[in-house]
Amino acid sequence: MVRTELPAGQTAGHGHPRPAGGYDNVGKLLAAGSYVLLDGPVAPGLGAGRAAWPAENPVALSHEPALAPMADPDELVAAHRGHVESGCDVIRTSTAALWPAVDGGYPHGGPARWADLACERIEAARAAAAGTPTAIAYALGRQVDGPDSAELVHALDRLFSKTAPDLILVETLSVIRPSLFTAVSQLRSLGLPLWLSFRRCRDGLCGPSGHHWSGDEPDRLGSAARRLEHMGVSALLVNCIPPDHVAGTIEYLRYFTDLPLGVYANIERGFEPAALSDATPVVSYDDLALQWRAEGAQIVGGCCGVGPEHLQAARRKLADTVPARAVAADAAPANAVLASRGRAEEVKAGQPWQIAEGRPVFPLPFPALACEQGAAAPAVGDLLLWEYLYRERIGDGRRCLDVGSGSGLLAVQLALNGASHVHSIDSSPAAVDCTRRSAFRNDVSSAVTAEAADITAWQPREHYQVVVASLEQPATDPSQQDPAARDFDPWGRLLIDAFLTKLPALLARDGVAYITQSSLISQRQTAGMLAAADLAGQVVDWRLWPACTPLAALPHRELIERRSDAFRLDVATPGGRDELIVVYVLEIRRADRVSPPGPASR
């Protein structure tokens, strides 16, 4: 790798042959844990390398909008050369505002003219970097996440066949939605390293002035980071946000991904400088770069207001620095899972507690759930079944069905366990929405589908290798309800009986189902229904639970226990007596596929 330090009075960027493949040097720097210096903006007034603020002077932590890219090729070459001579390892083409074909109009003079402009700007960057190891990043704007993304990629494919950059950098992305992942997949097909930069901080969407949009979930960036890493993205960055909003963001992202991370912040003054108070924090850009590096950034560059002087000063400060890999405890989001869990360098006091096959249990990687009004929160049975699915890695490589998905806990865990596909059904549209959102939060949206359906009427379109169900079993008081009512259920068996009746049509030949049942309903009736359907079940897990659950709060429960084998446990305590119920996990297979029963796992 090439890292040329600057002797006094000398600039970098001349006399070093470009390595084969312009990204090679950048890749080697990142792999070695070194820093990569990204350029600043190329805009009118900054073309000759003039910066809005001297590098050694303090800069106010506020912003002004980025200026439009200039079009004169000579100015472009001169502006790029200023960044190359400051020691930048990567410079961006002035193409983020260029856009080829959009809905019948070609704002830059037609498709041929767009191609000419784009080609011209790649060549201007190449001319400025000639004879140096500086890589050329083709800059794209957030328009890539839109209906014309496929057309854009097709146009870029043709453009790059004529003159190719070394990598692609998509800047100022904001909203994270499914179409973004589609666009990323299309861009990856071009075969170039892909960097993505977001206008976000750890609190969510972040504008150039630091205003947040509270309607966007802050954790979406972390969830997206894991998925983007799996898709082959080479680096993630944040840009065009105020420097004081960068703090904590790199540490936050490190919980979710091992990708190289970067920052290029906005340091322009605000629209009304007089509004800045005496308490407005100020700091030099090289000190900011050092802070970001200490937080874990490997890529440092500049957005609005940052010029070559800033970057040259940052380069001197960053020499011989090492990015942080561990993350501060107070930087962790509530649902974070360490991207490099178990690595020796991240374990400060011995190995974390684990169970069989290295499954961590402290901290316990419980999925991040979306649970809103209208969707059932995880209950006793859901939690017990989740624990079993997690511990036994149920679903790996299988096609699965989750009946009564609620918040999506079981569907998400099946997908996290490696299921090839999980389909979820619930009679509540709110639960269906929560399941989809929970899948997104845990980066498994591509493996999870959901629909609103009643198990009693739903017709499956396939047989499933794994079926899970944790269905509510609240018996209704027969003295308080009309027996003609559709939900009349004095025994608490309405949903489980409907499920067991449907189960033979759901299971593949070698399929297995896992359901929960409490001791408040009859075991004999469940066993009889299974036998009638040529199915057999065995207990694989169970748990004692206080009977202060709504499942036990039944005015006629004593009658149920007298007339069936349902039961509760009566336990003596110093203050009197407590009641417990037992919740079971049943494993159900076709009768001719059941192994001899073994002891319950606990």
Side-chain angles (χ1 to χ4, degrees):
M1 62 184 171
V2 179
R3 172 72 75 196
T4 304
E5 297 304 327
L6 295 176
Q10 183 177 337
T11 60
H14 297 286
H16 303 287
R18 178 179 303 281
Y23 192 76
D24 285 359
N25 186 56
V26 173
K28 290 176 181 177
L29 290 169
L30 293 175
S34 185
Y35 70 92
V36 167
L37 198 62
L38 180 65
D39 67 350
V42 174
L46 301 181
R50 297 188 299 275
W53 295 96
E56 305 298 338
N57 289 347
V59 294
L61 303 189
S62 52
H63 95 290
E64 193 167 278
L67 299 173
M70 60 187 155
D72 183 270
D74 293 334
E75 283 192 57
L76 282 173
V77 173
H80 285 312
R81 187 170 292 126
H83 289 296
V84 172
E85 292 175 346
S86 71
C88 289
D89 302 294
V90 179
I91 59 174
R92 292 165 281 169
T93 60
S94 182
T95 52
L98 288 181
W99 191 246
V102 288
D103 291 341
Y106 295 90
H108 299 284
R113 182 58 180 146
W114 167 83
D116 290 344
L117 284 171
C119 184
E120 180 181 88
R121 295 187 182 196
I122 296 174
E123 291 174 350
R126 282 279 183 226
T132 78
T134 305
I136 309 303
Y138 189 88
L140 291 168
R142 61 181 179 273
Q143 302 98 321
V144 299
D145 179 13
D148 300 305
S149 61
E151 189 171 2
L152 168 67
V153 171
H154 178 71
L156 291 175
D157 190 31
R158 289 174 174 267
L159 171 68
F160 294 164
S161 68
K162 180 179 180 181
T163 177
D166 301 311
L167 68 146
I168 298 170
L169 171 58
V170 184
E171 303 181 293
T172 60
L173 291 165
S174 54
V175 179
I176 297 170
R177 50 195 170 198
S179 57
L180 172 63
F181 300 107
T182 300
V184 168
S185 179
Q186 293 166 342
L187 288 168
R188 287 286 297 129
S189 71
L190 295 173
L192 291 171
L194 177 62
W195 292 5
L196 301 181
S197 188
F198 293 84
R199 184 178 273 175
R200 300 177 72 104
C201 65
R202 63 172 295 177
D203 294 319
L205 283 175
C206 185
S209 60
H211 292 103
H212 294 110
W213 165 234
S214 59
D216 189 77
E217 297 177 27
D219 281 346
R220 283 188 175 178
L221 181 56
S223 298
R226 293 203 301 270
R227 181 172 180 182
L228 293 169
E229 180 176 4
H230 296 156
M231 294 178 71
V233 170
S234 298
L236 294 176
L237 304 90
V238 293
N239 78 290
C240 207
I241 63 175
D244 50 337
H245 286 257
V246 173
T249 302
I250 297 299
E251 289 180 303
Y252 164 82
L253 284 172
R254 185 55 69 207
Y255 271 88
F256 295 93
T257 180
D258 286 323
L259 284 174
L261 303 174
V263 178
Y264 52 116
N266 180 327
I267 63 168
E268 285 282 357
R269 285 194 180 274
F271 293 110
E272 300 179 14
L276 295 176
S277 70
D278 293 339
T280 300
V282 292
V283 65
S284 63
Y285 196 77
D286 54 340
D287 284 337
L288 288 171
L290 199 60
Q291 291 172 18
W292 301 332
R293 180 71 167 152
E295 205 176 294
Q298 279 192 264
I299 304 165
V300 174
C303 201
C304 310
V306 178
E309 295 93 335
H310 295 95
L311 298 172
Q312 190 169 3
R315 187 173 184 274
R316 288 193 292 266
K317 272 281 179 73
L318 294 174
D320 302 321
T321 58
V322 176
R325 295 295 298 175
V327 285
D330 59 0
N335 69 323
V337 177
L338 281 174
S340 306
R341 186 187 295 107
R343 288 187 177 186
E345 66 267 25
E346 292 175 344
V347 179
K348 296 182 174 61
Q351 291 296 320
W353 292 340
Q354 299 178 347
I355 54 176
E357 300 183 7
R359 301 291 262 177
V361 292
F362 195 98
L364 189 66
F366 193 78
L369 300 179
C371 191
E372 297 181 354
Q373 189 171 3
V380 179
D382 302 301
L383 296 174
L384 177 59
L385 184 49
W386 171 82
E387 182 183 333
Y388 185 77
L389 298 180
Y390 171 73
R391 185 175 65 242
E392 303 299 327
R393 297 181 185 266
I394 302 297
D396 189 12
R398 304 298 184 89
R399 294 187 66 81
C400 306
L401 174 68
D402 176 17
V403 177
S405 60
S407 61
L409 174 63
L410 303 182
V412 166
Q413 190 58 54
L414 288 167
L416 291 172
N417 287 349
S420 60
H421 179 251
V422 185
H423 188 62
S424 302
I425 65 171
D426 197 292
S427 59
S428 166
V432 171
D433 181 61
C434 283
T435 296
R436 290 170 177 159
R437 293 178 59 201
S438 295
F440 183 83
R441 287 189 179 188
N442 293 275
D443 194 25
V444 291
S445 294
S446 61
V448 176
T449 55
E451 67 172 305
D454 188 331
I455 185 59
T456 59
W458 184 65
Q459 296 300 318
R461 293 180 289 273
E462 63 177 293
H463 294 98
Y464 295 91
Q465 296 166 299
V466 175
V467 179
V468 298
S470 179
L471 302 170
E472 293 183 359
Q473 300 157 9
T476 58
D477 184 355
S479 67
Q480 301 294 324
Q481 189 177 24
D482 183 353
R486 184 173 182 272
D487 58 349
F488 182 71
D489 187 20
W491 297 97
R493 295 198 58 96
L494 185 67
L495 290 178
I496 194 170
D497 285 358
F499 173 78
L500 294 175
T501 300
K502 184 80 69 172
L503 187 55
L506 304 178
L507 274 182
R509 180 63 181 160
D510 293 315
V512 58
Y514 296 94
I515 71 168
T516 57
Q517 175 176 324
S518 79
S519 62
L520 294 175
I521 64 175
S522 171
Q523 179 266 338
R524 285 197 296 263
Q525 184 167 339
T526 297
M529 291 190 68
L530 292 175
D534 291 326
L535 300 172
Q538 61 179 350
V539 173
V540 293
D541 208 347
W542 55 273
R543 176 173 297 171
L544 293 168
W545 201 262
C548 55
T549 167
L551 294 178
L554 308 173
H556 63 295
R557 60 188 180 183
E558 291 184 1
L559 180 61
I560 292 175
E561 292 171 12
R562 286 200 305 269
R563 297 188 178 182
S564 73
D565 57 334
F567 72 94
R568 290 164 289 146
L569 299 175
D570 191 21
V571 181
T573 66
R577 308 191 73 82
D578 284 345
E579 293 180 338
L580 301 175
I581 63 171
V582 188
V583 182
Y584 301 92
V585 174
L586 301 181
E587 180 185 84
I588 302 172
R589 300 178 185 270
R590 298 190 183 277
D592 59 353
R593 301 284 174 166
V594 174
S595 302
S601 59
R602 58 159 148 208

